[in-house]
Amino acid sequence: MTGINQSFLKKELPNFDNKSYASYVKSLRNERISSLRELIQKDIYAVYRFAENKPTNPTHWCAKEVGGDTIKIISFWRQMFLDGKVVMIVRDPLMVTRSVILDRRRKGIRLGARQIMKQTKSPMRNLYDQVQLINDMSFHFVVYEKLTADTSGTMQGVCGYLGIKYASVHEYPTLFGEKTVTSTSSRKTRKVFQSKNKWHHDLSFREKLLVWIYSTIINIGLFNKAQKEGKKYGSYPEIVKEIENRS
C-alpha cells in the first residue's frame, strides 16, 4: 500500500509496536481513502500512535525521498502539503554510485553493466536538477561532505531553517529515539563519520572502468544540455562552492 512504511511490518524495532501497526495497516484496506495525502496523514498518525517513546505534543513530521525526478517529486509533495519545507542534500554523485555498488555487494548482488550505468546516471541527473534550484532561497541546501565533517554546525543550520529546537540527538542517526546503524552505512557505527575514501576505493577494476566511462559520457551530455537550454551546471567542487556562497 503506497505511503505505508512496509519496513515497519517486517522486523522488530526499538520503541515501536509494529504488531499493532501491522493490524492498523490491514484495517485500512476496508476504509475509503480519497487521496494519497489522506493515506500519508493516516500513516503519520499510526506511526505516532504506536511509537512507545514519543513527544507529547509533536509539531513536525518529515518525509525522506531518495532518487527519482527531483523536480517532479518536490512539486508532488508541495501540492499535497503547501507549508512544507525542503532540505536539499547534495553529494558527490560518484560517491553515491560507489555506495550503491558496495551495498549490493554486501548483499551478495553483483551489478551488471546496465545496472551500473543506471546507478551512475541517476545521482548525476539528480545533481543536475538540484543545481537548477540553488538560487531559490526557499530551499535549504546541505552539502553531504560538510554534514559529515561538521555535523553539529550543519544540523544547527537545518534546525534553524525548519524552526525546531536544536538538540544533540540531531547529531547521530536514530530510530524511534534509539541510536542506530543506517542500512547503507559502510561502517557498523551509530555515529556520523567522514569518509576519506575516493569514489573508486574498494571497487573492482571492471566497476571502476564502467563508472568512469559512463560518468564521462553522462557529464558531457549534461554540460551540453545545460548550454543548449541556458541552464547552469558545473563540476561538483564548483557546485559546492556556489552553495556555500548563497546569500
Side-chain angles (χ1 to χ4, degrees):
M1 184 176 290
T2 303
I4 294 298
N5 290 293
Q6 294 291 342
S7 61
F8 288 2
L9 307 178
K10 300 176 182 178
K11 58 184 178 182
E12 295 294 327
L13 299 170
N15 295 328
F16 189 72
D17 183 358
N18 67 333
K19 292 182 179 179
S20 295
Y21 176 83
S23 177
Y24 175 82
V25 168
K26 187 176 181 179
S27 72
L28 287 180
R29 300 181 185 278
N30 299 319
E31 293 189 25
R32 288 189 176 183
I33 298 175
S34 61
S35 66
L36 180 56
R37 173 191 171 97
E38 182 183 353
L39 179 61
I40 292 172
Q41 289 173 326
K42 287 180 178 293
D43 188 46
I44 295 168
Y45 160 76
V47 171
Y48 176 76
R49 175 183 174 185
F50 299 118
E52 297 169 356
N53 180 14
K54 57 192 175 187
T56 55
N57 296 299
T59 59
H60 296 71
W61 67 276
C62 71
K64 178 184 178 183
E65 286 279 6
V66 180
D69 189 312
T70 303
I71 306 301
K72 288 183 178 179
I73 289 172
I74 292 172
S75 175
F76 169 76
W77 280 101
R78 282 188 159 174
Q79 287 176 13
M80 290 194 296
F81 303 99
L82 301 179
D83 297 330
K85 296 184 176 181
V86 180
V87 176
M88 187 78 69
I89 302 178
V90 300
R91 186 183 184 186
D92 183 341
L94 293 189
M95 289 299 289
V96 177
T97 301
R98 172 181 180 269
S99 294
V100 173
I101 293 174
L102 295 181
D103 175 64
R104 300 298 185 274
R105 183 187 297 172
R106 286 193 293 270
K107 296 174 181 176
I109 301 172
R110 180 180 183 272
L111 296 183
R114 182 173 295 182
Q115 293 170 310
I116 291 177
M117 180 179 70
K118 179 181 178 180
Q119 296 303 336
T120 303
K121 181 179 179 180
S122 179
M124 294 180 72
R125 177 68 206 201
N126 288 344
L127 180 63
Y128 178 87
D129 288 339
Q130 289 175 309
V131 169
Q132 312 314 315
L133 302 171
I134 286 179
N135 291 335
D136 188 335
M137 302 310 291
S138 67
F139 295 92
H140 183 80
F141 274 79
V142 170
V143 176
Y144 179 87
E145 290 79 8
K146 184 176 180 181
L147 172 64
T148 57
D150 180 17
T151 306
S152 176
T154 303
M155 290 308 299
Q156 286 183 49
V158 171
C159 290
Y161 166 74
L162 296 177
I164 61 179
K165 185 178 180 180
Y166 175 76
S168 60
V169 70
H170 297 119
E171 298 179 10
Y172 48 83
T174 60
L175 189 61
F176 294 104
E178 295 291 329
K179 289 185 177 182
T180 187
V181 178
T182 54
S183 59
T184 57
S185 176
S186 60
R187 302 180 192 175
K188 291 185 177 181
T189 176
R190 290 177 170 82
K191 297 180 180 180
V192 175
F193 62 90
Q194 184 179 20
S195 176
K196 301 292 186 180
N197 295 326
K198 303 297 183 181
W199 70 264
H200 49 77
H201 189 75
D202 290 331
L203 298 185
S204 67
F205 176 78
R206 166 185 169 274
E207 291 165 341
K208 294 176 188 177
L209 181 61
L210 288 175
V211 172
W212 181 81
I213 292 173
Y214 293 147
S215 62
T216 300
I217 295 172
I218 294 167
N219 243 334
I220 292 173
L222 292 176
F223 275 112
N224 291 337
K225 175 181 174 66
Q227 287 187 333
K228 183 178 180 180
E229 299 179 356
K231 295 182 178 180
K232 61 171 61 180
Y233 188 62
S235 66
Y236 186 66
E238 291 172 339
I239 293 170
V240 170
K241 187 175 181 179
E242 187 169 355
I243 290 173
E244 293 175 342
N245 291 334
R246 292 175 90 210
S247 57

